[in-house]
Amino acid sequence: MPLQLQPFFRHIKPPNQTPSTNLIPPKPLNPLQTPPSSPSSPPIDHLYISQLLSRPDWAVLLNHDLSSKTLLLNPSYAVSIFQNQQNPSHAIKFHSWLSHVNPTLAAHNSVHRALRNTLHRKGPALLSVDLLRELRNLGFRVTEDLLCALLASWGRLGLANYSAHVFCQISFLGLSPTTRLYNALIDALVKSNSIDLAYLKFQQMAADNCVADRFTYNTLIHGVCKVGVVDEALRLVRQMKDKGHFPNVFTYTMLIEGFCIASRVDEAFGVFETMKDSGVYPNEATVRALVHGVFRCVDPSKALELLSEFLDREQEQERVHFMLACDTVLYCLANNSMAKEMVVFLRRVLGRGGYFPGNSVFNVVMACLVKGAELRETCDVFEILRKQGVKAGIGAYLALIEVLYKNEWREEGDRVYGQLISDGLISNVFSYNMIINCFCRAKLMDNASEAFRDMQVRGVVPNLVTFNTLINGHCKDGAIDKARKLLESLLENGLKPDIFTFSSIVDGLCQIKRTEEALECFTEMIEWGINPNAVIYNILIRSLCTIGDVARSVKLLRRMQKEGISPDTYSYNALIQIFCRMNKVEKAKKLFDSMSRSGLNPDNYTYSAFIEALSESGRLEEAKKMFYSMEANGCSPDSYICNLIIKILVQQEYVEEAQNIIERLSMAGFLIA
């Protein structure tokens, strides 16, 4: 009996879209309002603070709130106020006032950091004449702290020239050049990639009676290292030593990065040894910079070889460096999808010096192994690490479980799933949704349904994601009746179907050739106030094309355009392919032209349909022209099209031309059957 979807949607009416007639709406909760830290401290109304700072008498009102204890001044409150300012000039105003009434709090590290971040996120914050005049009339001024924060924000935003321009005007702000201000400026110029200008300001320091310190040199060294000019960095190191400033861990770390960027790997390893000989202890950043840098500048296999030799030395000298480097190598192997090499590396390092990866690295390792290593080796690594007390996250478990089930290792999959449960990782709706999705992806709908029943028995309330995942799984499995029952349950639970619910059902109906019911579901969707998207239109267009109903397919394409939904390549391909199969090449060409005018690039499916249709209708020259135009239109032919055009040419006795194409494609790395 065919599925009747309509009653299941209509026994609960679509929500009323009419606006409420209540003339006194409830006061909305301010999403920016911060809860009080204690019963005696009032919450901060950030909207009120922002409105206050917009007023001409903002300073008077702040003073009043401070005296009446409406506004409390402590680091957490000040940080919260800065973090919630949307206008960077408000942050400047508040800091100027705070520096006047409580200079110690204004200089607090957390407050200064919050100010810098706000000026960057909401910036650029420009020092306009009106703003400076307003501050001066109130008896406030731009402090050195504030200017340093502004320079830092301008540097991160790439405003090198503006930073230098303001610095030249600091006497008008009542400030004098200091080493700290020069450092802030040089740092801003380096961050905005203006190394030459940074050097110019460095050379001007002496004229302003400012002495470069280690921070100054480190900033310049960082600037030249990040562009790989390490010889200049070494000259700066020698100069800073002559001035009595010895390199620290940051100096050496930047040199290591610089040598790696310059592809001088041996010297990068040499810097690591030099710093230890100098009594400077490498930190996490140093080790990570070395490992990541080596992987970036040489072939990954060569990088693994070099770092393995480095690890052999470090195991004997420094256990902490050895363990951190092992973790970082594993991350790099995962980033390069080197699963087989990862297995070999793990066999080499596990247990040495007591090394076992931490929980987060374990998850990265498993995500890589399930994609590229032998399944037996993956399970062995998983079991070894688990027995050593390394905790796998739910993501690592599910990745392994899914690949086990997909490879039909049911017994092993059930065992690992049992470990997942015993580790207590399935406890809420989110974790249940993840395991249900895993079973659906592995096409184990009975297991997914069992997990769904289990969550309800344990009192975990399913949400819309739960239902959508199961409905989608059953629809892909062709079990529309089960999807219908879940839809009933969804509605009974007071949930409203969304675009994902409908797209799953529409696609499921189309997959089993019940296109008319899919169109009815499409109508129901609109009645529920849910606007269809390109995905649903594409499903219906392709389904109608499959059953030969081209007229309604074209109508749907026109309808989606009329409703402001831009058709994509998939929308056009379904119609182009059906017209080509019907030998209506001219109609297909009109769609092709419309597609190009819309800014869409044809893909291999588009071209293959045309090339086949043109060759079958005896229009070989047009088929060849279409093939040769592919790359010019940003589409590289795949192996199917390459074999297709060669086959056509050989059949038409254009053997030499076919041979030329084969040679050209072979040089490009294509395998021609």
Side-chain angles (χ1 to χ4, degrees), residues 150-160 163 187-189 191-193:
L150 285 164
L151 287 167
S153 73
W154 296 332
R156 291 167 72 184
L157 293 168
L159 302 177
S163 300
D187 184 57
L189 296 175
K191 281 187 170 66
S192 54
N193 298 316

Side-chain angles (χ1 to χ4, degrees), residues 394-409:
I394 188 171
Y397 265 113
L398 294 181
L400 179 57
I401 289 168
E402 184 178 335
V403 77
L404 287 169
Y405 284 136
K406 282 183 175 179
N407 283 273
E408 298 184 0
W409 288 33

Side-chain angles (χ1 to χ4, degrees), residues 324-337:
L324 181 58
C326 286
D327 282 350
T328 314
V329 168
L330 289 171
Y331 271 112
C332 292
L333 291 172
N335 288 338
N336 287 280
S337 302

